[in-house]
Amino acid sequence: MPEGHSVHRLARQFADCFVGQALSVSSPQGRFAEGAAALDSAVLEGARAHGKQLFLDFAGDRVLRSHLGLYGAWSFGGTERFRGASSIGAPRRIGEREAGDDGAAPTGPLRPPAPVGAVRVRLVGDEGWADLRGPTLCVLETRAEAEAARARLGPDPLDPGADPAPFVAAVRRSRRPVGALLMDQAVLAGVGNIFRAESLFRRRLDPLLPGRALGEPALQELWAENVALMRTGARLGRIVTTDPADRPGVDETAAWPEHAHYVYQRAGLPCRRCGSPVAAAELAGRGLYWCPACQA
């Protein structure tokens, strides 16, 4: 599942490439036909992310809110003047990198290709298009409805104005494992399985520790860790959580997924810090990875 940093990159791409334009909106698959008809020819006024949800603000009090879930992705294309990643979303691999353009963009007038696969929504602007496939959520709302949905989410570490206090308070009053709480989007928005595993490792916290057992200083540090890791992910377009000292000679801008993480998907392999076998279990339906020695 794409984590919050990818959705913030999506918001940035929509802002750079489509805001201010009257977009042609359609639903080739047909499952969003009514919403597409309501948005067709409307001006995109803004694009923003909160956690794993993308909010596209259109003129006329209309918001297209989407959540990519496990399998969703936005793909992009356009003329030679269109700039940006060609795909952001699933499928993801260890190290997670967004797809770039491998060939030259089409020259001449904009001619979007026929939709391929189950395209839920297609947006077409002056120089490019965007196709949404496989989302968990794709709804048309008023701004008040969209804001109510956003308010139900926890604070977002990638929001410069976010207050970590609600996150700290929610964890401290819960008996649930901190590893489960980090994945609860009502507690903390945007953190997924990789950031969960890696931030807990870096702070040397046992993921099975009840939230109420953690003090405020430890939780403030865990918040700061996720802010730093997610900012790096938003900058690089992939999740790299290891420190430079632990990946000697590796260029962080290159694709080196085998050096990207300390414990995520390394069950049974040596911990990169102490050499102990990395443990794995299932927690709240998702794979959990940790070092029993470093995170005791």
Side-chain angles (χ1 to χ4, degrees):
M1 178 185 295
E3 303 196 27
H5 73 291
S6 288
V7 185
H8 277 266
R9 289 175 67 86
L10 268 172
R12 189 185 312 161
Q13 178 141 318
F14 273 102
D16 291 344
C17 299
F18 294 104
V19 162
Q21 301 174 31
L23 302 183
S24 171
V25 184
S26 62
S27 179
Q29 178 194 53
R31 290 182 59 184
F32 190 67
E34 186 175 344
L39 291 173
D40 191 34
S41 300
V43 173
L44 181 64
E45 296 183 332
R48 53 200 167 95
H50 190 100
K52 299 179 182 181
Q53 299 200 25
L54 176 69
F55 299 78
L56 299 180
D57 298 320
F58 285 84
D61 192 29
R62 290 165 286 183
V63 180
L64 174 58
R65 179 166 65 94
S66 62
H67 187 309
L68 294 177
L70 285 172
Y71 306 110
W74 282 95
S75 60
F76 300 87
T79 71
E80 73 277 7
R81 292 176 294 277
F82 185 84
R83 294 292 179 265
S86 64
S87 179
I88 300 178
R92 316 308 287 165
R93 296 181 296 274
I94 296 176
E96 187 198 54
R97 182 167 188 166
E98 291 153 14
D101 293 312
D102 296 323
T107 59
L110 179 66
R111 294 188 179 90
V116 176
V119 176
R120 185 77 56 87
V121 182
R122 167 169 281 190
L123 307 176
V124 182
D126 297 340
E127 299 292 347
W129 64 87
D131 287 346
L132 174 63
R133 296 177 177 85
T136 293
L137 176 74
C138 176
V139 294
L140 175 63
E141 298 176 324
T142 66
R143 298 204 180 187
E145 291 169 335
E147 179 57 26
R150 190 201 64 77
R152 291 191 291 269
L153 299 171
D156 183 340
L158 283 175
D159 177 357
D163 181 359
F167 159 70
V168 172
V171 174
R172 294 197 69 193
R173 64 173 175 259
S174 178
R175 297 177 183 269
R176 296 165 60 200
V178 64
L181 292 165
L182 283 183
M183 295 279 282
D184 185 339
Q185 298 301 297
V187 174
L188 186 63
V191 170
N193 218 10
I194 306 178
F195 285 127
R196 183 259 298 273
E198 298 293 298
S199 64
L200 288 171
F201 174 83
R202 291 174 63 92
R203 298 316 312 164
R204 297 182 175 269
L205 294 174
D206 182 345
L208 300 178
L209 196 66
R212 64 188 302 176
L214 294 172
E216 182 169 348
L219 290 171
Q220 290 284 357
E221 291 171 356
L222 184 58
W223 167 270
E225 192 72 67
N226 277 286
V227 169
L229 292 178
M230 293 178 74
R231 283 179 178 171
T232 297
R235 176 171 58 86
L236 296 179
R238 69 178 72 84
I239 301 178
V240 178
T241 59
T242 50
D243 292 325
D246 295 313
R247 52 177 196 274
V250 176
D251 178 1
E252 70 171 7
T253 64
W256 286 90
E258 65 271 26
H259 294 85
H261 308 309
Y262 284 114
V263 294
Y264 178 71
Q265 289 194 349
R266 288 181 53 80
L269 296 175
C271 168
R272 296 194 190 279
R273 287 275 172 86
C274 75
S276 299
V278 172
E282 187 173 294
L283 180 64
R286 300 295 301 277
L288 176 69
Y289 306 90
W290 77 100
C291 173
C294 293
Q295 296 172 255

